[in-house]
């Protein structure tokens, strides 16, 4: 291991790829520690890294371990994240606190974006981004993922906004923040488990090369924030929107009953949906992350071929 930015610990493989201008894809760690049960979380993380490599890029899974932001993880690190009860869910507001205390933290979309930008990694793959929660006009419960997309120059490849959220309000917020929302190969904005959401995507691109060209133009025109690349789940793996909606309503009712909110809301809802679908949503989640890894690596490759 060696350091690059003074606060980051970067693996030699990732550092060398960045130094040589080769494609690198950032990956988050909250999905490992708080998004999936063990051992599927480790299997998923290992498989995603392999997919990124198979498509020509170097994977850089990001987390905070022993108070040190890490860009790239070893197998033992993944195992720790997946099994330790001492791993906090860390968004941007929490980063300084976790680092100062020398603690472990799994990074959300927002904090992974921030650390990827510090490391100079312009492409980041995740499952689904956060957004405005249902009822946000009253609760003000809106993910820091959205404001970070307006702040950090990273293209985030996801399967759309998590369908447990208010998609219309999330899209409106992204427009206000000046974040390009680009659906890949479709006119409709996808909704995580489903290829459809009932909402038209503001923008569309049909190739990784075109997305890379948009990224370059966006930043060359002085934009300082990121881009939201929405990649629909493969048709064979999706849970149709009309079916998942009823399950989401059951999960929301259960969450209200037990009084969970804030940063615990999304992990609780995703876990409840896995339970209510008999594991089908977990299989869909793994499939969409793998699909995003393929596209993200191809975009990273195209972006380095200037």
């Amino acid at each position: 291991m060696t350091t690059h930015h003074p606060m980051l610990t970067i693996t030699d493989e990732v550092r060398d790829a960045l130094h040589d201008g080769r494609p690198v894809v950032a990956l988050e760690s909250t999905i490992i520690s708080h998004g999936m049960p063990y051992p599927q979380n480790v299997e998923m993380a290992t498989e995603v890294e392999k997919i990124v490599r198979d498509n020509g890029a170097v994977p850089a899974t990001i987390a905070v371990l022993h108070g040190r932001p890490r860009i790239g993880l070893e197998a033992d690190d993944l195992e720790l994240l997946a099994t330790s009860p001492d791993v906090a869910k860390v968004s941007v507001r929490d980063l300084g606190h976790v680092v100062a205390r020398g603690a472990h933290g799994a990074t959300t979309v927002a904090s992974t974006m921030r650390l990827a930008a510090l490391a100079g990694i312009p492409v980041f793959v995740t499952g689904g981004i956060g957004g405005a929660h249902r009822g946000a006009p009253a609760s003000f419960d809106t993910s820091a993922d959205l404001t970070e997309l307006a702040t950090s120059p990273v293209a985030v490849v996801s399967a759309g906004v998590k369908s447990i959220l208010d998609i219309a309000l999330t899209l409106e917020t992204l427009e206000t923040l000046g974040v390009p929302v680009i659906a890949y190969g479709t006119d409709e904005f996808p909704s995580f488990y489903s290829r459809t959401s009932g909402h038209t995507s503001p923008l569309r691109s049909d190739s990784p090369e075109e997305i890379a060209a948009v990224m370059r133009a966006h930043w060359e025109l002085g934009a300082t924030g990121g881009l939201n690349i929405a990649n629909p789940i493969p048709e064979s793996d999706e849970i149709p929107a009309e079916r998942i909606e009823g399950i989401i309503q059951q999960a929301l009712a259960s969450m209200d009953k037990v009084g969970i909110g804030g940063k615990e809301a999304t992990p609780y809802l995703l876990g409840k949906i896995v339970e209510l679908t008999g594991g089908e949503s977990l299989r869909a989640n793994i499939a969409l992350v793998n699909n995003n890894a393929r596209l993200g690596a191809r975009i990273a490759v195209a972006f380095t071929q200037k």
Side-chain angles (χ1 to χ4, degrees), residues 7 10 13 29 44 59 64 130-131 138-139 144 149 239 242 248 261 279 300 303:
M7 291 192 75
I10 305 181
E13 179 190 30
S29 48
M44 179 275 309
V64 179
S139 68
L149 270 161
I239 303 175
E242 58 276 10
I248 290 168
F303 189 74

Side-chain angles (χ1 to χ4, degrees), residues 95-113:
L95 270 174
H97 190 252
V98 171
V99 168
R101 290 172 60 242
H104 300 321
T107 51
T108 64
V109 168
S111 52
T112 303
M113 282 188 75

Side-chain angles (χ1 to χ4, degrees), residues 64-70 77 80 98-99 101-105:
V64 179
L65 296 177
H66 305 287
R68 191 83 186 170
R70 300 278 291 274
D77 301 326
L80 186 155
V98 171
V99 168
R101 290 172 60 242
H104 300 321

Side-chain angles (χ1 to χ4, degrees), residues 196-250:
T196 59
S197 67
H199 300 281
T200 301
S201 176
L203 304 166
R204 170 178 177 161
S205 287
D206 292 318
S207 72
E209 292 73 23
E210 185 182 353
I211 292 170
V214 174
M215 290 162 60
R216 282 190 213 103
H218 183 63
W219 292 323
E220 285 168 4
L221 288 166
T224 55
L227 301 88
N228 177 13
I229 314 301
N231 182 34
I233 184 173
E235 201 167 345
S236 58
D237 298 304
E238 79 164 329
I239 303 175
E242 58 276 10
R243 184 152 70 83
I244 198 69
E245 180 57 30
I247 292 163
I248 290 168
Q249 292 297 340
Q250 288 182 61

Side-chain angles (χ1 to χ4, degrees), residues 140-258:
F140 286 80
D141 190 351
T142 300
S143 172
D145 296 357
L146 303 188
T147 44
E148 198 61 32
L149 270 161
T151 306
S152 287
V154 177
V156 181
V157 181
S158 73
V161 176
K162 293 187 178 82
S163 41
I164 55 177
L165 304 172
D166 185 326
I167 294 174
L169 188 54
T170 299
L171 289 172
E172 289 290 350
T173 305
L174 286 168
E175 181 186 10
T176 301
L177 294 171
V179 176
V181 176
I182 303 170
Y184 179 64
T186 178
D187 293 320
E188 175 142 4
F189 188 75
S191 60
F192 198 59
Y193 301 120
S194 312
R195 293 176 63 81
T196 59
S197 67
H199 300 281
T200 301
S201 176
L203 304 166
R204 170 178 177 161
S205 287
D206 292 318
S207 72
E209 292 73 23
E210 185 182 353
I211 292 170
V214 174
M215 290 162 60
R216 282 190 213 103
H218 183 63
W219 292 323
E220 285 168 4
L221 288 166
T224 55
L227 301 88
N228 177 13
I229 314 301
N231 182 34
I233 184 173
E235 201 167 345
S236 58
D237 298 304
E238 79 164 329
I239 303 175
E242 58 276 10
R243 184 152 70 83
I244 198 69
E245 180 57 30
I247 292 163
I248 290 168
Q249 292 297 340
Q250 288 182 61
L252 287 165
S254 174
M255 185 176 76
D256 287 345
K257 193 173 178 181
V258 295

Side-chain angles (χ1 to χ4, degrees), residues 22-25 50-58 297-298 300-301 304:
R22 289 183 282 120
V24 177
V25 172
K50 182 179 185 300
I51 289 169
V52 169
R53 291 184 199 284
D54 289 348
N55 284 274
V58 172
R298 292 169 64 200
V301 169
T304 59

